[in-house]
Amino acid sequence: MKKRNPIIIIIYIAILALVFSWMLGVFNPKDDLTEAKVVELLEDGKVKSFSVDSEGVITLELHEAIEGKTKLRATLADVSAFRSENEDTIQFQKTYGELEDYDYDQPTEASAFDLVLPLILVGLALLVLWVILVGRANGGNNLSSFGKARTVLGVPDGKKVTFEDVAGADEEKAELQEVVDFLRDPEKFTQIGARIPHGLLLVGPPGTGKTLLARAVAGEAGVQFLSISGSDFVEMYVGVGASRVRDLFEQAKKIAPAIIFIDEIDAVGRKRGSGLGGGHDEKEQTLNQLLVEMDGFGRTEGVIVLAATNRPDILDPALLRPGRFDRQIYVGAPDAKGREEVLKVHAKGKKLDSDVDLRSVALATTGFTGADLSNLLNEAAIMAARDNRPALNMEDLNEAMMKITAGPEKRSRVRLVRDQKITAVHEAGHAVAMYRLPTADPVRHISIIPRGQSLGSTWSTPKEDSAHMTRNEMYERIVGLLGGRVAEDLFLGDISTGASNDIDRASKLARDMVARYGMCERLGAVSYLDDGEVFIGRDYQSTKSYSEKVAGTIDDEVKLLMDKAYAHCKQLLADNKEQMKDVVEFLLKHETMSGAQFAACMEGQPIDEQSTTSLFDITEE
Ligand code: ADP
Ligand code: MG
Ligand code: ZN
């Protein structure tokens, strides 16, 4: 956008200049008459008034129009001569004739400067425009900094980050420590002939702290840190990306030892010759330049390239071969211990109530990334601040967690009693089914208060982190997801649209089981689905790698699996009719039900209506 501004300004100036010159009468012809004709008109009594300005231009106003004009102009050769020669005529006309008014020495209407200025402006505008157009034609490099890499020297936004600020991630840190050591003391490694990696690629889902880690490396190493985002290479004009890559490496070599950090490298490092649509030439040139530069610098030059991406699968293989990004460091979502540490790091700047137990928060937040956890604490802090409380407490965290996972509460939404009943039955169905499924996560909270897009929610959090999901667990998850729909079917005799999201998720799980993880007998252990949506970074021909016959079998198997899960769920809920009824009644009365209340209800024990439990009430086994 910035690049286009000058042109707009120039056009603007040109238009302004034209308008001004029009208003100043620059383009009006000055002389309508000769001096002799002026005298003639005066003598004939046709002039109503006249004025002479300091430039000697006389403007006549006539009683009757001549050729459609009542105002005429002429330039006098000599004003004082005109005055003295015609004094008598003028006096006569003024006294006895038709001349009403006259005036000498009026200020100039349009000076010579006014005449020339617009022309200068227009000329200047055209000149600048021409320079820009020529610059474009020459590949855009003529404009001073266009081909320069937009690097940020030093840590962005100035705050120094060290490994201290990155919680958990001990293995990742250890591996990066090597880089730090090398930059500090390259001799130690080169002496025994060790080859220091050229480039390291940080790979992992968004929000797991890749950018943070890279910044910490810079902070630890105490060397120059050049950071740039992959998208900064991408520009509309061909050749710019490549020249920026060249510039980036030149800068780095000048200030070595240094780290170059390319964030979101997938923006430039996509597989060549792939994807939809045309216009890859620019990207490929940029990538080629990157490959060349990574080969180009010697190992002793003390430049290491760090890059981060969450899509390693779409990177060009040439980029990943040894000698370029020869090491990949996987940065994943933290485990319970890691989460606790991340929470501690982010709790530092916040005031926590004494009841806050970060350990149990960590246990209940399986699958949360560092960014999620930081967000959780922040939401809780906002809630405490909104209520003017000095410190955030466990309840804030509980509410923040619910808000993050299911959207903000919408108590004011008008709800029909009928809708509430459907919602209560639906949520009770999920909860009861999950309670009776051996591998399902314990139910922590049930609510029929609308949140985000949903009318009600049932929260369950896993007892522990588990890296694998077995076939049985996946199947039982499908059964649990169907609980809402089955309950409506069974107890209301009709089904609603409320279950559409559940059914989407269940079907996707079933399809994954059948076609991705090879979990059904008929198709065997063959994976027919890859991660390939048709995506700009990959070939769309490769997404479907099976025959129509297999496609039919997949559909059949998915249907079979879903039907089995549906029947299973129906059986579970039918066997727990009494409990279903109790849960629904409780929900309609109280709107929410805690995990403990629900468990008591299921076991046929008295329900403590006052008891409140949170999502974080997890007992460690
Ligand atoms: P990525 O680059 O992997 O998408 P970031 O490095 O930008 O993620 O992380 C986003 C934010 O999440 C960080 O600014 C930080 O506040 C928080 N965060 C992520 N991982 C951690 C961690 N291990 N320790 C502390 N904070 C973390
Ligand atoms: Mg990042
Ligand atoms: Zn549901």
Side-chain angles (χ1 to χ4, degrees), residues 426-427 430 456 481 484-485 498-499 502:
H426 181 104
E427 296 307 329
H430 281 305
L481 281 168
R485 160 60 60 96
D502 299 336

Side-chain angles (χ1 to χ4, degrees), residues 475-549:
Y475 167 73
E476 291 198 345
R477 182 166 290 188
I478 294 174
V479 177
L481 281 168
L482 291 175
R485 160 60 60 96
V486 172
E488 290 177 31
D489 186 7
L490 209 59
F491 298 101
L492 300 173
D494 197 2
I495 47 184
S496 76
T497 54
S500 71
N501 180 35
D502 299 336
I503 291 178
D504 278 351
R505 282 165 61 197
S507 315
K508 192 172 168 300
L509 257 174
R511 186 163 284 273
D512 279 353
M513 284 177 72
V514 170
R516 191 191 301 275
Y517 301 119
M519 285 175 173
C520 82
E521 270 89 42
R522 240 173 98 198
L523 284 165
V526 180
S527 171
Y528 293 102
L529 294 182
D530 56 13
D531 285 312
E533 330 88 274
V534 178
F535 184 71
I536 21 180
R538 59 168 70 233
D539 278 328
Y540 57 97
Q541 294 96 330
S542 71
T543 49
K544 201 176 158 209
S545 58
Y546 45 82
S547 67
E548 294 299 322
K549 190 165 152 269

Side-chain angles (χ1 to χ4, degrees), residues 546-585:
Y546 45 82
S547 67
E548 294 299 322
K549 190 165 152 269
V550 171
T553 315
I554 291 175
D555 290 340
D556 290 347
E557 286 296 311
V558 170
K559 175 88 173 60
L560 266 174
L561 190 61
M562 290 292 281
D563 286 348
K564 184 176 156 208
Y566 199 91
H568 184 173
C569 190
K570 212 165 180 168
Q571 189 59 50
L572 279 180
L573 296 190
D575 290 346
N576 290 275
K577 249 190 190 137
E578 285 307 309
Q579 287 91 334
M580 273 296 293
K581 221 177 103 236
D582 292 347
V583 174
V584 169
E585 260 169 27

